[in-house]
Amino acid sequence: MRTVKGPTDHVVVVGAGLSGLSATLHLLGAGRRVTVVEREALPGGRAGRIESHGYRIDTGPTVLTMPDLIDEAFAAVGERLTDRMELRALHPAYRARFADGSELDVHTDAQAMEAEVERFAGPAAAHGYRRLRHWLQQLYAVQRHRFIDANFDSPLQLLHPDLVRLAALGGFGRLDDRIGRFLPDPRLRRVFSFQALYAGVPPARALAAYAVIAYMDTVGGVYFPRGGMHALPRAMADAAADAGAVFRYGHPVTRLERSGDRITAVVTAHERIPCDAVVLTPDLPVVHRLLGRRPRRPLRLRHAPSAVVLHAGTDRTWPRLAHHTLSFGAAWERTFDELTRTGELMSDPSLLLTRPTATDPQLAPPGRHLHYILAPCPNTETGPGARDWHDLGPRYRDSLLSVLERRGLTGIGAATEVHHLVTPADWAAQGLAAGTPFSAAHTLAQTGPFRPRNLVRGTENAVLAGCGTTPGVGVPTVLISGKLAAARITGPRPARSPAGTPRPTPRGIPA
């Protein structure tokens, strides 16, 4: 594995999002001094927090899986996840509601899920689910260390017996077809393939290997931190600070100083910070602007669809909503065509509804509730541009509320007393390419060694982390990206158990 050249004693991490915090913890565990510069006043990046009229609104991801990856980051500095935060497993992980009025609770316990599938679709479907679960476990075991948690220097690294095993499992077939071999019922297929949307590829065209995302959700389990999702970056930042990291909040980076092929300092709006190496976590357009160069690719990057998010603080809730509820429209193939090809808003929306106060009532004032409605939409390259959303956004918000009214959330418009709308225009204003928080799509040409690399050509001591680079989009993979970025600086290090691991002596740089 290639690593950065020259001294790496002091590393500046640009961005205190999940990838930057993961990189920071792993760098500290390897004995590096770390300064983290963040443009916002708090950690989290996209996993931020808005407080309004007593509502504590998470601005970023709402689905948390694979807590072992979080524990791995804490273990780098001799701590455990449980030292810093409380995670609650969600039962069910999701509730799926379909256009025909049927409902399915998605359980991560094998026996509970098998019984639920049998109730929903009969004994043959339950048998298919058992086979599907076994296949998902095999798929994850093959991909975890070889293809997900790996720094690639060349596509030739793919030439490994695990590639043969992945092919034998059908990983290079199409996701929807492969799921359909186990579960012919189209409603069940949606539950185990909708995750491909966040990878930016319709299930009918996505590689079956991406079913590993369904493994994380439906087998590995879905969790929620007490205090909301923002509690995760808060806990990671606190652990990093206690281990010696220096944080500079409210410090947007204005430029990088260079000497030849090396970055010698990170300059913020307030100070100049000398460094031996730098980890850059902003979205790729911001990184390229700071570096003053854009890497050459044979094909232009293709970006995933975006999303409209409506955060609603309400004076009531609806009893059929779980913590996470998937509200599927009748359309499916047409929906993906609209999102990825024609650039139209969904004519029959499929939505993710999250009710965090179902698990943590303290995120809202007494007797109040939080609802998060995520509606996938085309990105600004495929669909309406960022300027269009300034007028389109309020109209689309009203349209979504009307859809929810028709689907059983009677009176949601009148019940909403606080709302916060996020559209592709807002994502674009944050510097996200194509106005999407899901970055580059996971097409075959943009996956693994073909995804933008985390080493920067022409710069010896800069490394990238975040969803735009290896391994990709999602909380688990972003945490891994920080670990991989740190390894590019420190060299590979064995995994460390939190139990009995000595904590590094806190070290910092002068203020």
Side-chain angles (χ1 to χ4, degrees):
M1 180 186 71
R2 296 176 186 171
T3 57
V4 302
K5 299 178 181 179
T8 61
D9 294 336
H10 178 214
V11 183
V12 173
V13 176
V14 178
L18 294 178
S19 65
L21 294 170
S22 173
T24 297
L25 290 168
H26 287 286
L27 287 166
L28 290 167
R32 301 311 192 268
R33 291 189 298 125
V34 182
T35 302
V36 183
V37 292
E38 167 58 48
R39 65 182 178 183
E40 302 296 337
L42 71 171
R46 293 174 214 180
R49 167 66 55 83
I50 295 174
E51 301 207 9
S52 177
H53 298 85
Y55 291 94
R56 298 158 66 193
I57 300 170
D58 288 317
T59 62
T62 62
V63 178
L64 182 62
T65 63
M66 309 306 291
D68 59 302
L69 296 174
I70 306 171
D71 216 17
E72 188 177 40
F74 282 114
V77 293
E79 294 201 26
R80 294 181 185 272
L81 181 155
T82 51
D83 294 336
R84 294 285 179 174
M85 58 189 298
E86 178 187 341
L87 283 187
R88 301 177 182 178
L90 299 184
H91 304 293
Y94 296 98
R95 175 166 293 150
R97 304 179 71 183
F98 301 94
D100 64 2
S102 59
E103 290 187 358
L104 173 80
D105 281 352
V106 180
H107 300 283
T108 52
D109 176 77
Q111 292 184 343
M113 187 59 185
E114 186 177 335
E116 176 70 353
V117 171
E118 182 167 356
R119 177 201 65 79
F120 182 80
H127 176 68
Y129 166 73
R130 285 198 301 271
R131 294 171 51 237
L132 171 63
R133 186 181 179 97
H134 179 64
W135 178 71
L136 291 173
Q137 291 170 324
Q138 290 180 300
L139 200 67
Y140 179 73
V142 167
Q143 293 189 70
R144 168 70 165 90
H145 296 290
R146 179 59 51 183
F147 302 111
I148 300 174
D149 191 359
N151 272 314
F152 287 98
D153 294 320
S154 166
L156 295 178
Q157 287 177 243
L158 293 173
L159 301 178
H160 184 274
D162 281 343
L163 186 68
V164 178
R165 297 185 185 102
L166 183 59
L169 288 169
F172 296 105
R174 296 303 174 192
L175 176 62
D176 194 57
D177 288 344
R178 178 59 59 169
I179 298 294
R181 294 188 185 190
F182 301 104
L183 300 171
D185 188 307
R187 297 169 300 172
L188 290 174
R189 290 209 308 270
R190 292 184 189 187
V191 169
F192 291 94
S193 64
F194 80 91
Q195 298 90 346
L197 175 62
Y198 305 116
V201 187
R205 297 205 305 267
L207 291 178
Y210 293 138
V212 71
I213 309 174
Y215 167 88
M216 296 177 183
D217 283 359
T218 66
V219 178
V222 179
Y223 298 81
F224 190 70
R226 183 175 182 179
M229 289 290 287
H230 183 65
L232 172 58
R234 281 279 190 189
M236 295 176 73
D238 288 346
D242 286 349
V246 174
F247 284 84
R248 297 285 192 261
Y249 293 113
H251 276 53
V253 174
T254 57
R255 61 188 176 90
L256 304 175
E257 283 189 8
R258 303 177 68 100
S259 177
D261 290 338
R262 296 188 67 82
I263 293 170
T264 55
V266 174
V267 181
T268 76
H270 304 285
E271 64 180 317
R272 175 184 179 275
I273 306 173
C275 63
D276 297 311
V278 62
V279 176
L280 301 169
T281 72
D283 208 33
L284 293 178
V286 177
V287 167
H288 296 156
R289 176 177 58 78
L290 289 173
L291 290 170
R293 62 190 68 181
R294 181 182 297 273
R296 294 189 300 272
R297 289 181 61 91
L299 296 173
R300 183 181 178 186
L301 279 178
R302 175 183 159 192
H303 291 92
S306 185
V308 171
V309 180
L310 174 61
H311 303 277
T314 64
D315 61 12
R316 59 165 295 193
T317 190
W318 293 264
R320 291 307 302 164
L321 292 180
H323 186 111
H324 294 299
T325 301
L326 298 164
S327 177
F328 289 109
W332 190 240
E333 289 82 5
R334 185 175 80 235
T335 294
F336 283 99
D337 198 44
E338 290 165 342
L339 292 172
T340 63
R341 193 179 67 82
T342 65
E344 301 168 274
L345 297 178
M346 292 182 291
S347 55
D348 185 14
S350 289
L351 309 170
L352 171 63
L353 312 178
T354 296
R355 184 166 62 108
T357 44
T359 303
D360 190 347
Q362 294 185 1
L363 295 173
R368 298 300 194 262
H369 307 269
L370 263 177
H371 299 86
Y372 165 111
I373 299 102
L374 184 148
C377 69
N379 64 44
T380 56
E381 291 178 342
T382 306
R387 291 183 179 179
D388 300 324
W389 278 102
H390 293 291
D391 294 325
L392 178 58
R395 298 200 306 272
Y396 193 52
R397 174 199 62 209
D398 294 342
S399 174
L400 290 175
L401 291 175
S402 296
V403 169
L404 294 173
E405 290 264 4
R406 294 194 298 271
R407 295 184 185 178
L409 274 66
T410 306
I412 185 172
T416 298
E417 55 186 20
V418 170
H419 81 271
H420 180 69
L421 183 70
V422 184
T423 74
D426 299 296
W427 304 123
Q430 294 178 29
L432 306 186
T436 173
F438 304 119
S439 195
H442 281 263
T443 61
L444 180 60
Q446 297 179 175
T447 297
F450 310 111
R451 199 164 181 82
R453 297 178 63 207
N454 57 5
L455 282 181
V456 178
R457 189 185 302 274
T459 303
E460 292 185 348
N461 62 339
V463 186
L464 308 188
C467 60
T469 185
T470 305
V473 178
V475 172
T477 40
V478 163
L479 291 170
I480 291 174
S481 82
K483 172 189 170 185
L484 296 178
R488 289 292 196 183
I489 293 171
T490 66
R493 303 177 66 241
R496 300 168 67 183
S497 168
T501 306
R503 193 154 119 183
T505 302
R507 293 188 297 169
I509 61 170

